[in-house]
Amino acid sequence: MSRRDRGPREKSNNRNDRPKGERPKGSRPAARPHRAAPKGDRGPGPRPGGGKPRFAEPRHDRPVPVRAEVKAEPQLPTKVQTVVVTADENNMRVDRFLEARFPGLSFSHIQRIVRKGELRVNGKRADSKDRLEEGQSVRIPPLRLDAPKVAGHLSEAEQKTLTALKAMMLFEDDDVLVLNKPAGLAVQGGSGTTRHIDQMLEVMRDARGQKPRLVHRIDKETSGCLLVAKTRFAATHLTGAFRHRSARKIYWALVAGVPKPKQGRISTYLAKEEGDDDTIMRIAEHGDEGASHAVTYYAVVETAAQKLAWVSLKPVTGRTHQLRAHMAHIDHAIVGDPKYFNKQQWDLPGGLQNRLHLLARRIVIPHPRGGVIDATAPLPPHMQQSWNLLGFDAKRFDPIENAPEE
């Protein structure tokens, strides 16, 4: 993976003393096309066979956004306040609403104020997973950031954690990180989960005590691109880009059977269904309680004897387990999915590991200070093994590139 490595450098107020190419303090960087693609792992190339794909119209790059001015970072409220849910925040979960409103607020602090009933929606207690509606009043208690660590004083265990994070980095600058999250590592904590990305980011607090913030999430068993903001300024802008669907995400999956047609759109409503010891997303009807619209584009890239297919996926919406539920819905569940694989009398082909074959392959999103972040993650080891066994070429043209954005 390519990434920008920054070494230590001495500060200087003398223009002649500055290293070549270093911009003066307070100046704004030029718009930059950020790209972090694995060497030799993908290439545009012509579509094999010369056939014209359904998503045939070339995708025009989005215009580079106008560079945003850096504003003063918002302060956390030190006393009780009441805010009103806006149209943009309609249907947001309570915990994500708080993260968007107050970037830097820790996951554990959000859970604590919700559990204690300190946060109220229209005067009633709310669960962190409840969905908000436009116009609702939300009572926000006094908030605080976690106590900052003293910069430069890491224990041996913390230094190992920092080294592990550095090894995951696909891209880094002063505002943003893109991590290649390995399969099996959770993004956030939960029941019985002690090691996760959010906890690991504690070792990256800066001199002012700011900890990098998660901008979105991917499932524990899904590997690939995970976007992290290093500042509150970046968190606000990147969270807004997701909310306004300015971010483009591409996933790769190995599925049972071959979808027909080979390129298409899946549009359903999804609702959460609580089980005895687990939660899954079920296909719902419009108007069902808790149902949210979900849209996914898919394209078959390669097949293996009509038994398996490499599918590229572009989610327009970002619902929980959306891709996994959608592929199961069209009867082509993702291989190794413990929740949604619903194929009866189906044997895993020899040599393939029974692990979730889903990769957050690529993310493209406007950079908070101008330009575009474009990062690509390689296949995780268990998927690379499957690609090798099935003879799939990761450099093959990906037809999802030309799928619509909405």
Side-chain angles (χ1 to χ4, degrees):
M1 297 304 105
S2 63
R3 74 169 191 269
R4 185 174 302 170
D5 294 321
R6 294 177 179 269
R9 64 190 182 201
E10 296 183 0
K11 296 181 178 179
S12 174
N13 293 323
N14 188 327
R15 179 180 301 176
N16 296 325
D17 291 338
R18 283 197 304 272
K20 184 177 180 181
E22 182 178 336
R23 58 186 175 84
K25 184 177 181 181
S27 68
R28 296 180 299 183
R32 53 203 148 167
H34 300 307
R35 185 62 186 261
K39 185 176 180 180
D41 201 27
R42 66 184 296 273
R47 177 182 169 89
K52 187 176 182 180
R54 178 179 174 189
F55 304 142
E57 290 299 321
R59 179 184 177 276
H60 300 288
D61 289 336
R62 293 190 183 90
V64 176
V66 178
R67 190 183 299 114
E69 296 292 337
V70 181
K71 299 178 181 178
E73 294 179 346
Q75 298 298 312
L76 293 176
T78 56
K79 60 182 181 180
V80 174
Q81 64 170 297
T82 300
V83 299
V84 177
V85 179
T86 66
D88 286 340
E89 295 163 334
N90 184 55
N91 203 39
M92 285 183 72
R93 282 173 34 157
V94 167
D95 53 358
R96 294 177 183 174
F97 169 83
L98 289 173
E99 290 173 345
R101 285 271 184 155
F102 309 107
L105 197 60
S106 71
F107 175 76
S108 59
H109 192 44
I110 291 173
Q111 297 301 311
R112 185 162 54 250
I113 63 175
V114 170
R115 186 175 61 251
K116 290 182 177 181
E118 296 175 352
L119 182 137
R120 302 260 173 170
V121 178
N122 283 356
K124 298 179 181 179
R125 292 181 67 131
D127 185 85
S128 60
K129 297 179 181 179
D130 287 349
R131 299 277 177 175
L132 296 171
E133 296 178 6
E134 180 184 357
Q136 286 183 325
S137 296
V138 183
R139 175 193 182 274
I140 309 290
L143 304 175
R144 63 171 176 78
L145 290 173
D146 290 341
K149 287 182 176 289
V150 178
H153 292 75
L154 297 178
S155 66
E156 182 178 351
E158 290 170 332
Q159 188 59 53
K160 288 182 178 179
T161 297
L162 182 60
T163 300
L165 284 171
K166 293 289 184 183
M168 296 180 203
M169 289 182 187
L170 298 172
F171 170 81
E172 180 185 20
D173 66 9
D174 292 339
D175 295 291
V176 182
L177 288 173
V178 182
L179 300 178
N180 178 23
K181 187 194 80 66
L185 178 61
V187 173
Q188 285 186 311
S191 178
T193 303
T194 56
R195 181 175 173 80
H196 48 86
I197 294 291
D198 195 36
Q199 172 258 331
M200 294 174 71
L201 290 172
E202 289 285 348
V203 302
M204 293 190 68
R205 287 188 181 272
D206 61 19
R208 294 185 295 168
Q210 285 198 87
K211 168 190 165 185
R213 301 147 179 86
L214 298 169
V215 177
H216 69 126
R217 294 152 192 78
I218 55 178
D219 296 339
K220 179 178 178 180
E221 296 304 326
T222 302
S223 65
C225 296
L226 181 69
L227 191 65
V228 179
K230 295 175 71 173
T231 63
R232 292 188 198 175
F233 165 75
T236 299
H237 283 262
L238 294 173
T239 301
F242 272 93
R243 189 163 61 247
H244 297 294
R245 298 182 184 173
S246 300
R248 183 162 62 104
K249 296 177 288 182
I250 292 175
Y251 288 74
W252 282 3
L254 184 68
V255 304
V258 179
K260 294 181 180 179
K262 289 191 173 182
Q263 297 176 2
R265 179 178 185 267
I266 306 170
S267 176
T268 71
Y269 284 82
L270 294 175
K272 190 168 295 183
E273 189 171 272
E274 302 288 348
D276 293 337
D277 53 4
D278 209 349
T279 299
I280 65 169
M281 301 300 290
R282 63 175 177 84
I283 303 300
E285 298 294 332
H286 179 48
D288 285 359
E289 183 178 357
S292 299
H293 190 215
V295 177
T296 301
Y297 286 95
Y298 74 87
V300 175
V301 185
E302 277 197 85
T303 64
Q306 299 301 306
K307 188 176 179 71
L308 295 164
W310 161 16
V311 175
S312 189
L313 302 160
K314 182 188 286 187
V316 176
T317 52
R319 311 304 179 200
T320 302
H321 298 174
Q322 176 177 318
L323 302 179
R324 298 164 64 182
H326 269 173
M327 294 314 295
H329 172 62
I330 65 170
D331 201 29
H332 295 286
I334 298 175
V335 171
D337 192 333
K339 286 178 180 281
Y340 299 93
F341 197 92
N342 52 8
K343 305 286 287 184
Q344 300 299 321
Q345 306 299 320
W346 196 87
D347 294 325
L348 190 70
L352 272 64
Q353 297 184 44
N354 191 20
R355 302 183 63 185
L356 183 67
H357 282 60
L358 181 61
L359 166 69
R361 171 66 173 176
R362 185 181 177 197
I363 187 166
V364 182
I365 190 170
H367 193 284
R369 299 186 191 276
V372 173
I373 301 164
D374 189 348
T376 302
L379 290 164
H382 70 284
M383 289 181 68
Q384 184 63 66
Q385 179 184 11
S386 299
W387 259 237
N388 291 341
L389 286 168
L390 298 171
F392 292 164
D393 182 4
K395 298 178 183 178
R396 192 178 176 105
F397 171 76
D398 187 350
I400 206 72
E401 294 281 348
N402 297 325
E405 297 296 323
E406 58 184 46

